[in-house]
Amino acid sequence: MKKNKKRRGVWIFSILAILIIYMWANNTSLFTQSSGEMKFLAHRGLAQNFDISKVEWNTNTSAIIYEPEYPYLENTLESMRVAFAYGADVVEFDIQLTKDGKLACFHDYPLEYRTDGTGEIADYTMDELKLLDVGYGYTADGGKTYPFRGQGVGLMPSIEEVFNEFPDKDFLIHIKTDTAETGKVLWSYLSKMSKERLAKITVYGSNKAIEYLKGQYPELRAMNKDIMIKAFLTYEAIGWTGYIPEAVHNTEFHLPLKYARFLWGWPERFIQRMESVNTRVIVVNGNGDWSEGFDSLEDLKKLPQGYNGYVWTERIDKVKLVYGVLPSIQVYYST
């Protein structure tokens, strides 16, 4: 009896050892060569920054900006233009549905945070929104001065203007309006694009809008909270085998770096697996509560050596200069 128990124990130990070795060998990046370079996503283009530690869910971030180093305002064509000029691989921007069924590029729900208007985007037509000053509310000294007041009139773009201005660029579109109608309006633009162009579009945000878009075009790279949770849990359950579950296909992982290390195959093998099923991997800084960027050389040093996925940044001008990229643009710095 004792011999049988001992033999059974040896078998169990051997099986567990083989399983552990298999899991390690199947998920280690030691034998995986990374290809390509790190890629950068510029959050809302190149915009005014602020102390992320002071932010709550309802914080008016335009009222707590740092002393401006350049004149660019978030979600404007110029902020996107300059971000691409600095070498951004992807630019993120926000959209909301207007009163006349168009899509305006603007982040905040209250217009009074940044503009000289009141109410919300849905209260106005696109033409009416063009009359607002999107630089009106920015201040770095508690309201003593407003350095961009009067300079942002007419700068809120429609999504049509963005697509016309940048017909071949890579975008991450954040849907802020949680309605299926927003998805329908967005699809009216995306449906006219070629497959090659759609491959450069990723959409995230509103559950209802994303559900509508995925119903129209399942291959669209899209993510909402439900998709993200399902993809993460499913991959954690069976990803160690090397199998890539359907829930992970055609989406995007926004990963705080501190948690990414727990994903099977992180970093190189995981990124290769995701790329093979049209899923993008973007790491954000901090704990994931907010869209905190990798904005300096010190931030970039936190990343695994040889990391070749996407990095979220608020300062594409700084991180690209670290890599020796000199833009052919005029940049305005305060003295």
Side-chain angles (χ1 to χ4, degrees), residues 268-281:
E268 285 92 349
R269 189 163 289 193
F270 175 73
I271 292 172
Q272 288 181 5
R273 287 172 180 169
M274 296 304 102
E275 288 178 345
S276 72
V277 294
N278 190 37
T279 289
R280 177 174 287 166
V281 179

Side-chain angles (χ1 to χ4, degrees), residues 193-209:
M193 296 181 177
S194 66
K195 285 188 176 182
E196 291 74 21
R197 182 71 185 100
L198 281 172
K200 292 187 175 183
I201 301 294
T202 306
V203 187
Y204 78 118
S206 158
N207 284 344
K208 294 176 183 177

Side-chain angles (χ1 to χ4, degrees), residues 105-172:
C105 300
F106 193 74
H107 175 269
D108 297 336
Y109 294 112
L111 283 169
E112 48 266 39
Y113 277 7
R114 277 174 167 74
T115 79
D116 52 346
T118 58
E120 299 182 356
I121 291 290
D123 300 327
Y124 297 83
T125 66
M126 192 67 234
D127 286 343
E128 290 170 338
L129 291 168
K130 285 287 186 183
L131 301 176
L132 299 180
D133 178 4
V134 297
Y136 188 85
Y138 286 85
T139 179
D141 53 16
K144 295 177 182 177
T145 60
Y146 292 87
F148 303 116
R149 187 165 285 187
Q151 299 179 34
V153 178
L155 296 189
M156 187 189 301
S158 67
I159 197 170
E160 185 175 13
E161 290 177 284
V162 174
F163 287 151
N164 289 339
E165 179 76 15
F166 309 101
D168 60 349
K169 293 299 186 182
D170 202 326
F171 286 110
L172 173 61

